[in-house]
Amino acid sequence: MTLTVLLLLASLLALAYAAFNFFKVKKLEEGNELMQKIASYIRGGANTFISIEYKILLVVVLAVAVIVWLALDWYVAVALLIGSVMSASAGMVGMKIATYANVRVTNEANKTKNLGQTLKVAFRGGSVMGLCVAGFALLGLVAVYLLFGRLTGWIDSMEVSSCWLTKIKILRFPNVLSGYALGCSMVAMFNRVGGGIYTKAADMGADLVGKTEAHIPEDDPRNPATIADNVGDNVGDVAGLGSDLLESYVASIVAAIALGYNLIKHAGVSGESLSALYTFPLAFAAVGLISCVIGVFSLLVRNLSKSKNVHKQLNGATWVGAAITLAAGFVLSYFLFKDVNMSNLGFKFGFASPWIGAAVGIIAGILIGIFAEYYTSSDYKPTKILAEASKEGPALTITSGLALGMRSCMAPCIVLGLGIIIAYYTAGLYGVAMSAMGMLSFVALTVSVDTYGPISDNAGGIAEMSQLPEGVREITDTLDAVGNTTAAIGKGFAIGSGGLAALALMLSYMYSLPGETVVNGLPTLNIMEPMTLAGCIVGGALPFLFSGMLIDAVAIAARKMVEEVRRQFKEKPAILEGKEDPDHNQCIKISTEGSIGQMKVPALMAVIIPVVAGLLFGAHFVGGILIGSTVCSIMIAIFTGNAGGAWDNGKKYIEQGGIEGAGKGSPVHDAAVVGDTVGDPLKDTVGPCMDIFIKIMSTVSLVAVSVFSQYNLWSFLGF
């Protein structure tokens, strides 16, 4: 009863505060008639895209739900639908507030000429997305917990039951949770892939013709692709981001709970300990969300009129949330584990062991964020050196950026490796799962800070298209530059937590393997077994195939955008003279059709491949795929995110006068724009999709392993 109250309190408090901030932003003035007109175009384009995408997604989700119902049971399918609704709702609300907040941020900058006051409006808009991500995720978990946990009594049962059609034996509640996570993952994949292709196709089309050929400023109203570019920020960097991190958040909670059930089953721990193992992740998430509400509130009630350091203010809110989460988590750990003997699970420090595991995750996340900031912020040496390379032309800009991205992988991976080791030797496998939970325990604040970035970027575009004074654009550019760095930090958190959550899901998967070997409570998978090794090699190649498909999709859509912008400039020269309005709607149509058409195969790949591979070659082959794809995806995500972020901020560093005599329109700036354009699909399409890719593969594999471990072609042929 206490857990139910805590979960409901946290989720409803977050959603209520999100609603308050939503209407608070909406009450602000939108500015002059031209600003309102531009904002309405952006809002209309975003609504059109999301409605088309969600229609396709509805068909896919219903089809998968039917398959899950047939293969497993109805309750897993219902949980999948609940997860899909929660994730889709978060993405929709976040996109809505972003399209309302952008023009209000522009107007605030124009009206007050104050950086701190403008920051507050942008952050208030971003907080709606952040609070909805965690609020909807937790609300869905409450529904699953009450419907399929408490009312049925399944939550405290270790009895296996037979699926109605396939007669496969499964533990009901962990499978319900996996179904919920799968629903969240599917929406996240479509939103991230579709939104990522949309935003980068428009962005590259606008930059390649507008900046490098026509030599007109970014977001110039004469560029037909500018509205589509701004629409893309909302569908990719807001709706996609929100669904992405909601899925990460849910996956980390589900991974910890599912692993708890497997540990009870295989490690010789009494069933009485089960309640503590599943309660701690849920309760930790709830207190983390309440802490985030306090953190958001702490920034919004502050007087920021004299503040010049945007990053300091955003970090301050994050530290408040993290500190309260840690303190509350310690209290939770004490009350849940003080009377429970968990020595068989490797709890080296008694009741504090799982809390230490979560704290390790928080510290690891912060360190990964610091490394991301170091490699992508123009305040530090790597990005400054990258900007200097633009003096020698685009070839060296691209070469230097690739080198920076590759070098940047080492430190975060060391942090992840050490985090796994420390968490394991503190609280066993459960500690590893809790480190992922800890890293995402204050996800509401992480997403709030992330979402403020694209809102500020949109605000700058509206300022440029509305031809407002230069000082307005300076304010929005300052906010946007910090937003690029916070986005890189957020992506570091996402892939770090994604890797840890995928590892925890993988451990639960390995416990489910037929004829599994458990040594000292640890499931083992023989990597040198030919079937597993072959799967590992194939799995390592999959993220590269996936990345290549995404980049191709962006390039195909961007090529059409470039052709359209060139056509309009050629056929209507009065556009560049400012005497005729460009056709924005045609560019929006190209981005929408291109992204919807190109996203289907990559988005479905992560769902289909584990199932097909399992039905053909069995569970050990899929286990190898999970290992190979997880390792390679982590490297690709860090590399692409940091390289792309550094290219973007290196360009902004030049625009802000960082290199003497090399301002906008200079050859040095042109080279930096080329680097930024190369980095666009890397940092905003490939990188963000990698963590979803590995988690959805792990979740699908965990849901389907009961089926293909018994029914696969390889076993049928007698091998």
Side-chain angles (χ1 to χ4, degrees):
M1 184 65 183
T2 304
L3 178 59
T4 305
V5 172
L6 181 61
L7 291 170
L8 280 173
L9 173 66
S11 56
L12 295 178
L13 175 65
L15 293 174
Y17 193 34
F20 173 81
N21 285 340
F22 185 101
F23 291 109
K24 185 88 171 175
V25 168
K26 205 173 174 185
K27 284 181 181 178
L28 296 174
E29 296 176 6
E30 287 189 284
N32 61 44
E33 188 176 339
L34 180 57
M35 292 165 64
Q36 293 179 41
K37 182 181 177 182
I38 293 166
S40 69
Y41 288 153
I42 296 170
R43 194 175 303 126
N47 288 337
T48 299
F49 171 82
I50 209 78
S51 62
I52 294 172
E53 183 193 49
Y54 276 14
K55 286 176 184 176
I56 296 170
L57 184 57
L58 176 62
V59 174
V60 174
V61 167
L62 289 176
V64 173
V66 170
I67 294 170
V68 167
W69 170 54
L70 293 173
L72 297 175
D73 223 320
W74 66 270
Y75 47 86
V76 184
V78 171
L80 183 147
L81 294 175
I82 294 172
S84 301
V85 170
M86 292 300 159
S87 185
S89 299
M92 177 66 80
V93 173
M95 190 207 69
K96 289 282 187 185
I97 188 57
T99 58
Y100 286 122
N102 52 13
V103 68
R104 288 159 173 84
V105 171
T106 309
N107 187 58
E108 188 74 14
N110 186 41
K111 186 173 67 174
T112 65
K113 306 295 188 294
N114 186 282
L115 179 65
Q117 291 297 105
T118 309
L119 162 65
K120 188 179 284 191
V121 176
F123 182 73
R124 190 182 293 277
S127 72
V128 176
M129 177 83 266
L131 294 168
C132 282
V133 162
F136 277 118
L138 214 54
L139 186 63
L141 280 169
V142 172
V144 171
Y145 171 76
L146 290 176
L147 290 173
F148 303 111
R150 285 296 167 208
L151 290 179
T152 58
W154 294 346
I155 193 166
D156 291 314
S157 173
M158 293 297 297
E159 293 181 10
V160 296
S161 62
S162 295
C163 299
W164 72 282
L165 182 62
T166 58
K167 305 304 179 185
I168 293 168
K169 306 286 187 181
I170 60 171
L171 274 172
R172 281 176 167 168
F173 190 66
N175 272 273
V176 169
L177 287 178
S178 298
Y180 179 75
L182 180 58
C184 296
S185 296
M186 291 175 64
V187 175
M189 179 60 81
F190 271 78
N191 276 352
R192 258 307 189 191
V193 172
I197 294 170
Y198 186 112
T199 185
K200 290 305 108 181
D203 194 2
M204 290 173 70
D207 286 354
L208 286 172
V209 183
K211 287 184 182 179
T212 59
E213 293 182 11
H215 291 286
I216 57 178
E218 184 175 6
D219 297 314
D220 193 291
R222 294 170 291 178
N223 193 329
T226 51
I227 296 291
D229 184 12
N230 282 275
V231 171
D233 290 336
N234 294 289
V235 300
D237 297 337
V238 178
L241 164 81
S243 298
D244 176 1
L245 285 176
L246 182 147
E247 184 259 356
S248 296
Y249 184 59
V250 169
S252 65
I253 297 171
V254 169
I257 295 173
L259 186 59
Y261 277 86
N262 280 299
L263 290 172
I264 291 293
K265 183 178 178 182
H266 292 276
V269 180
S270 67
E272 297 174 357
S273 306
L274 178 61
S275 176
L277 290 175
Y278 69 67
T279 299
F280 187 63
L282 290 168
F284 197 88
V287 297
L289 181 50
I290 294 170
S291 303
C292 288
V293 172
I294 297 170
V296 170
F297 182 77
S298 71
L299 189 147
L300 293 178
V301 297
R302 213 174 299 157
N303 183 0
L304 302 180
S305 58
K306 296 181 180 179
S307 175
K308 300 294 181 185
N309 192 331
V310 174
H311 212 157
K312 180 181 178 182
Q313 299 299 336
L314 295 172
N315 282 343
T318 305
W319 300 145
V320 167
I324 297 173
T325 300
L326 271 175
F330 182 82
V331 175
L332 275 176
S333 188
Y334 173 75
F335 281 107
L336 287 172
F337 293 104
K338 64 184 176 73
D339 297 323
V340 180
N341 182 9
M342 292 290 189
S343 57
N344 283 6
L345 297 187
F347 280 31
K348 298 290 193 304
F349 300 95
F351 74 86
S353 299
W355 175 80
I356 295 172
V360 166
I362 292 175
I363 294 168
I366 291 170
L367 289 174
I368 290 172
I370 289 171
F371 286 124
E373 182 178 358
Y374 173 73
Y375 280 106
T376 60
S377 173
S378 58
D379 292 336
Y380 299 101
K381 192 175 178 181
T383 299
K384 289 180 179 178
I385 292 174
L386 179 59
E388 291 285 342
S390 297
K391 291 179 179 178
E392 315 305 328
L396 278 182
T397 303
I398 294 168
T399 304
S400 299
L402 292 173
L404 181 152
M406 291 176 181
R407 288 199 315 270
S408 71
C409 291
M410 194 67 221
C413 287
I414 290 174
V415 170
L416 270 178
L418 286 174
I420 290 170
I421 292 169
I422 295 170
Y424 176 75
Y425 283 101
T426 297
L429 295 177
Y430 191 74
V432 176
M434 283 311 304
S435 65
M437 181 68 249
M439 201 177 283
L440 282 165
S441 56
F442 48 100
V443 70
L445 270 167
T446 306
V447 175
S448 298
V449 172
D450 267 9
T451 307
Y452 125 95
I455 289 174
S456 302
D457 191 7
N458 257 213
I462 293 171
E464 187 75 39
M465 287 182 277
S466 304
Q467 299 178 334
L468 295 178
E470 185 65 28
V472 176
R473 188 64 198 252
E474 288 176 5
I475 291 173
T476 59
D477 277 355
T478 300
L479 296 175
D480 185 28
V482 175
N484 282 328
T485 301
T486 58
I489 293 170
K491 288 164 188 169
F493 264 79
I495 190 58
S497 60
L500 292 172
L503 174 61
L505 289 167
M506 198 187 307
L507 289 168
S508 293
Y509 173 86
M510 288 165 63
Y511 273 123
S512 305
L513 292 180
E516 81 284 352
T517 303
V518 178
V519 180
N520 296 325
L522 280 171
T524 60
L525 185 65
N526 186 356
I527 194 67
M528 295 313 297
E529 181 190 4
M531 189 62 77
T532 307
L533 183 59
C536 192
I537 293 170
V538 172
L542 281 175
F544 290 92
L545 173 63
F546 183 66
S547 301
M549 293 171 71
L550 292 179
I551 294 172
D552 272 344
V554 171
I556 291 168
R559 194 176 300 122
K560 293 178 181 177
M561 185 69 71
V562 167
E563 290 170 357
E564 174 61 23
V565 176
R566 284 174 178 164
R567 182 193 68 79
Q568 291 195 33
F569 284 165
K570 182 179 179 180
E571 295 180 3
K572 301 176 181 179
I575 292 176
L576 285 173
E577 296 172 10
K579 297 177 181 178
E580 185 176 353
D581 290 336
D583 184 359
H584 297 293
N585 289 329
Q586 187 61 29
C587 292
I588 292 173
K589 182 181 178 183
I590 288 172
S591 263
T592 301
E593 291 177 351
S595 57
I596 295 294
Q598 296 293 324
M599 76 176 185
K600 296 171 187 173
V601 175
L604 290 172
M605 198 172 88
V607 178
I608 294 172
I609 285 179
V611 177
V612 172
L615 292 174
L616 288 175
F617 300 111
H620 286 80
F621 184 80
V622 175
I625 284 179
L626 295 181
I627 294 171
S629 61
T630 299
V631 171
C632 289
S633 291
I634 291 172
M635 312 306 165
I636 292 173
I638 296 171
F639 158 60
T640 54
N642 289 344
W647 271 317
D648 195 346
N649 278 337
K651 176 201 68 176
K652 285 185 168 62
Y653 178 71
I654 292 170
E655 291 173 347
Q656 293 166 359
I659 297 178
E660 189 176 346
K664 290 183 179 181
S666 67
V668 177
H669 180 250
D670 286 348
V673 169
V674 172
D676 178 33
T677 307
V678 171
D680 276 339
L682 298 183
K683 71 180 174 67
D684 291 327
T685 307
V686 172
C689 290
M690 282 294 106
D691 66 299
I692 305 176
F693 182 73
I694 57 176
K695 281 178 299 189
I696 198 170
M697 285 187 66
S698 299
T699 305
V700 168
S701 300
L702 182 58
V703 170
V705 65
S706 302
V707 178
F708 59 65
S709 62
Q710 294 188 35
Y711 304 105
N712 63 79
L713 181 62
W714 197 253
S715 297
F716 178 76
L717 294 175
F719 292 103

